[in-house]
Amino acid sequence: MKMPIGSKFFGILLVLACSTMAQAAPLVAARTTDMRDAIDRITIAAENNGYRLVKIQAVDSALVKRGFENPGVRILFIGKASAMEQAQAYYPPLLSMLPLKLALIVRDKEIVVTSDDLDAWKEMFPEPQAHHLIDAWLKDLELILRDYVER
């Protein structure tokens, strides 16, 4: 069975990201599409995994208005009510990290999606309760990005 190029790229980056804890990295996924389609696909992927699109921050249009070249970047904020409730109940300092953020970056004909670096969050919040929540969010992000690439 032949895998789409985006799936291969995602798989390689996911293995690299998870292979060593010493070199933490955000999750990354890419597919050939345009920004509007990418936002739609990420929104659907998030909803398929219990998250909702909370906000789209159009970094590109704000920079263009100020005379800069269009960098082709959008930031999506995705949230899940149960994630907020769990953070409140088990480790309130993590509430400051929510909602989760995904950056969409135009690279040639692809839209690359990157997550926050949740392994770095584990360094900032070393308590086991925090790690439990962060690991759950990391798994959710992996599923969302896999869905984005495969959909």
Side-chain angles (χ1 to χ4, degrees):
M1 182 169 126
K2 189 172 182 179
M3 291 176 57
I5 291 174
S7 295
K8 289 179 187 177
F9 181 71
F10 175 73
I12 290 168
L13 288 174
L14 186 58
V15 168
L16 289 174
C18 296
S19 65
T20 164
M21 294 304 280
Q23 293 183 338
L27 296 176
V28 178
R31 71 175 296 130
T32 302
T33 190
D34 60 29
M35 185 62 80
R36 180 70 256 159
D37 183 59
I39 291 171
D40 290 345
R41 288 174 184 274
I42 282 291
T43 300
I44 292 167
E47 288 175 355
N48 288 343
N49 290 282
Y51 286 80
R52 291 202 166 274
L53 179 64
V54 176
K55 177 183 174 182
I56 299 174
Q57 186 172 347
V59 176
D60 48 3
S61 62
L63 289 172
V64 170
K65 284 182 194 175
R66 291 167 178 78
F68 293 97
E69 186 176 327
N70 184 345
V73 176
R74 301 272 170 94
I75 300 173
L76 303 184
F77 296 83
I78 58 172
K80 185 177 184 178
S82 64
M84 298 287 288
E85 292 163 2
Q86 289 171 341
Q88 178 65 40
Y90 299 109
Y91 197 79
L94 280 177
L95 285 169
S96 65
M97 307 306 281
L98 299 174
L100 299 174
K101 290 159 270 323
L102 296 171
L104 280 67
I105 304 162
V106 176
R107 291 287 180 251
D108 298 321
K109 295 181 191 272
E110 285 189 325
I111 303 295
V112 178
V113 181
T114 66
S115 71
D116 285 323
D117 183 351
L118 273 63
D119 284 333
W121 291 9
K122 289 180 180 181
E123 292 176 21
M124 294 187 312
F125 303 103
E127 293 77 12
Q129 313 90 299
H131 285 209
H132 175 74
L133 293 170
I134 293 168
D135 286 339
W137 300 336
L138 183 60
K139 287 178 185 171
D140 289 345
L141 286 171
E142 288 170 351
L143 291 171
I144 290 167
L145 293 183
R146 185 174 302 124
D147 195 4
Y148 166 72
V149 169
E150 294 174 355
R151 181 166 289 282

